[in-house]
Structures are given as structure tokens and as C-alpha cells.
Amino acid sequence: MSRRKTERLLNLVICLLATRRPLSAEQIRHAVPGYDAGNDEAFQRMFERDKNELREIGIPVEVHRDPWEDEPGYRIMRQAYELPEITLEADEAAVLGLAAQVWQRANLAEAAGGALLKLRAAGVQTDESAAGPLELRVDTRDPAFPALWEAVRDRRVVRFDYRAAGSEVMLTRTVEPWGVVSRRGRWYVVGHDRERGAPRVFRLSRISGPVAPVGRSGAVVVPEGVDIRSMVGHRDSLLPERTATVRVRRDTCQWLRQVGAVRPGEDGWDEVTVEFADPEWVAGSVVAFGADAEVIDPPDVRDAVIRRLKGAIA
């Protein structure tokens, strides 16, 4: 659905909810932005489609026929539209706060903020601060995420440049995306790789440059029975476990300290030993702490950090 159409439907709902009496189609036409004020036939078709779409998603648009009026009136009764009272436990409210933070990182802040606003209006307290320590375990700051999320939603083929593990060579991949999955704080896209002619898993942090849509929406068909989470888990199990040494400023980088083993250092710095399977995962975590963290070893993790910092400068 286009942004323009979404805004028109939202304005129509607000208009029909706010009115104290049923409104005729002509009154709605002039009150709701997005309707054509010049073409009667085009307006009637658009208005009929909008009413049907709202009813299909459960919004009760009612028709009122007054014998003294030539045209029927329309409105949405607040009692039929509003949700019943919502009761959440403290841990459930904390999860809602965490989910909102995740989607804010994924450039979906407007939708997440709107959902939280509606819950607060219903008297639900969503404790976002309680989820703070969990935030860094779910990282959606990869630039490729929004475009891939939209491609999965629209069932659309994408093309991007990808660097395989342990290599500096960039290869162009054309992928039919089946889903985007988070595992152990890392994000993956799973789909059919047209160049290889087989299902593949791609780390979002290894995608370089823009993700370009290819062809029309609806072209991708997800095979029945495919389990993208197990595919990502199997891929992770094939990567060897290694150890990285990170120098961190004292009293900072709490998440690294929680996942690694800390050894006190000198001059206001400590050393943290972190087990990992993918250098890009460590690099992404270290870069997030800026000047408070520095990779000492191994060299490929240092190179990954440097590459990310140079990309940020560029």
C-alpha cells in the first residue's frame, strides 16, 4: 500500500470517528485530504474501495439512511471501533517497550511510536527503560535492513554486493528473499540465490552499498515448509568459535563486559576476551562503543572495525 493511500485511509477513519452525526459522501469528499474534488466518478470508485478495505480489516463503517435526506450518511461508532480494556503484566509491558526500540532502530519509528501511543491512551504503561540492558542484543542498524524488510514484505527480488566470510572480494548477488531473521544479535536474510541456483543465508553486515529491487512486487514465492530460522542456525553452527581481545575504557562498554571475560588493565583500561564465530559481529559491537573500545587481536577483526569506520567517514 502506498504512503498516499495509507494517509487517506487514516484521515478517513479519523473523520468518521470524530463526527457527531453521519456524513454524506460529498461532505467526506471535501473533508478528507486525498480525494479528487473534480472528478465525480473517480471519487465514487475510490470512496467505495476505501470503505470496503476498512471493513475488510475490521473497521466498522456504518451507513445511516435518513428519510429526510437524499444521500446516506457514514460514520464509525466509537464503541464498536475501540478495543476492550487491555491488561498487561510488568514483563509483557517491558517486552512491548523493547519491541518498539527494535523497530526504531529499523527505521520504523513512526509505526512503533504510534502503537505505543495507542496503548498508553488505553491506560497501558509500556516500560521502555526496563528493556534497556537488552537493547544491544538486537541490532537492526545494518543499512540493508529496511530495503530487505520491504522486499520480503512485497515478495520482490533484490540485488546487492556481498562480501563472503574471510574474503575482501565483493560479489553481486541476486536473491529471492524469503525472510529476515535475527540470531544472537546478528541479522540475516534467507532466500534463493539466483547466481548459485540454491537457497542461501546472507549476513546483513556483509552487504555493501544499496539493496536494489529487481522486477515487480509479488514475484517471489516462498517454498512450502521452509524453515528459515533453522537454516540460519545451521549456518551459525558451521562457523568455528574463536577468541577476540578488546581493550575497553574502565566503567564503559557494559555489554562487552557481560558477554566476555574481563581482566583488569592499566591506565584506566581493561581487557575483555570475547568468544565469536563471525568477525563482523565483533566489529559491529566494538564500533558501537566508539572511542571506548579497541580491538587488540585477531587482525581480521581489527580490519573489520577499520573498514566500518572508514565507511562511516565516507
Side-chain angles (χ1 to χ4, degrees):
M1 185 183 297
S2 69
R3 182 185 183 91
R4 183 177 180 181
K5 182 177 181 179
T6 301
E7 291 177 349
R8 187 180 71 246
L9 289 175
L10 179 59
N11 287 328
L12 177 59
V13 171
I14 294 172
C15 176
L16 296 181
L17 271 173
T19 182
R20 294 184 178 181
R21 58 181 179 81
L23 298 178
S24 67
E26 192 64 25
Q27 290 172 316
I28 293 171
R29 179 180 186 176
H30 293 288
V32 176
Y35 286 125
D36 189 345
N39 189 321
D40 293 344
E41 185 178 349
F43 162 72
Q44 288 295 337
R45 289 198 304 267
M46 186 179 296
F47 182 51
E48 289 299 321
R49 286 197 301 267
D50 289 350
K51 285 191 300 179
N52 291 335
E53 289 197 28
L54 291 179
R55 287 166 176 158
E56 286 175 2
I57 61 177
I59 298 178
V61 179
E62 297 183 359
V63 182
H64 296 263
R65 298 187 180 276
D66 190 327
W68 305 101
E69 298 289 343
D70 295 333
E71 297 183 12
Y74 304 90
R75 70 179 303 185
I76 298 174
M77 298 299 294
R78 187 172 295 275
Q79 296 84 348
Y81 175 79
E82 291 177 342
L83 292 172
E85 181 180 355
I86 300 173
T87 303
L88 296 178
E89 300 295 333
D91 56 345
E92 295 173 326
V95 169
L96 281 175
L98 173 61
Q101 291 181 3
V102 171
W103 291 119
Q104 285 170 353
R105 288 293 185 89
N107 292 335
L108 297 176
E110 184 177 351
L116 283 179
L117 183 61
K118 292 176 183 177
L119 288 171
R120 294 193 191 105
V124 177
Q125 297 299 318
T126 57
D127 187 4
E128 298 175 55
S129 61
L134 301 176
E135 181 179 347
L136 287 176
R137 295 303 300 273
V138 185
D139 185 356
T140 57
R141 290 169 293 179
D142 295 294
F145 181 91
L148 289 172
W149 184 85
E150 291 177 3
V152 171
R153 180 196 64 190
D154 298 338
R155 295 288 183 258
R156 195 170 185 181
V157 180
V158 291
R159 182 174 292 129
F160 50 79
D161 291 333
Y162 188 77
R163 182 182 56 79
S167 172
E168 296 298 324
V169 179
M170 289 288 179
L171 299 175
T172 300
R173 297 297 184 197
T174 305
V175 179
E176 300 172 12
W178 298 341
V180 180
V181 180
S182 173
R183 177 178 169 81
R184 297 178 181 176
R186 302 182 285 266
W187 285 88
Y188 304 84
V189 60
V190 182
H192 179 78
D193 185 341
R194 288 187 172 180
E195 276 77 22
R196 298 182 181 180
R200 287 292 185 270
V201 177
F202 299 92
R203 272 285 308 275
L204 266 61
S205 61
R206 295 205 186 103
I207 296 176
S208 178
V211 175
V214 178
R216 60 180 179 82
S217 299
V220 175
V221 178
V222 181
E224 291 186 10
V226 65
D227 187 346
I228 60 177
R229 290 190 178 277
S230 65
M231 293 173 65
V232 172
H234 177 68
R235 176 195 179 281
D236 263 5
S237 67
L238 298 178
L239 297 175
E241 288 291 337
R242 301 164 59 196
T243 301
T245 303
V246 184
R247 189 167 174 257
V248 299
R249 201 183 302 274
R250 194 161 297 161
D251 299 325
T252 66
C253 308
Q254 296 303 319
W255 182 76
L256 283 173
R257 295 173 183 272
Q258 291 174 14
V259 300
V262 182
R263 183 171 67 250
E266 300 177 352
D267 301 326
W269 292 79
D270 297 328
E271 286 190 359
V272 179
T273 302
V274 180
E275 293 185 353
F276 72 98
D278 188 340
E280 293 294 337
W281 175 73
V282 183
S285 302
V286 171
V287 168
F289 292 110
D292 291 329
E294 177 187 0
V295 175
I296 304 301
D297 191 66
D300 59 339
V301 176
R302 283 181 57 87
D303 292 342
V305 171
I306 293 171
R307 182 169 54 252
R308 284 178 174 241
L309 292 175
K310 287 183 176 180
I313 293 173

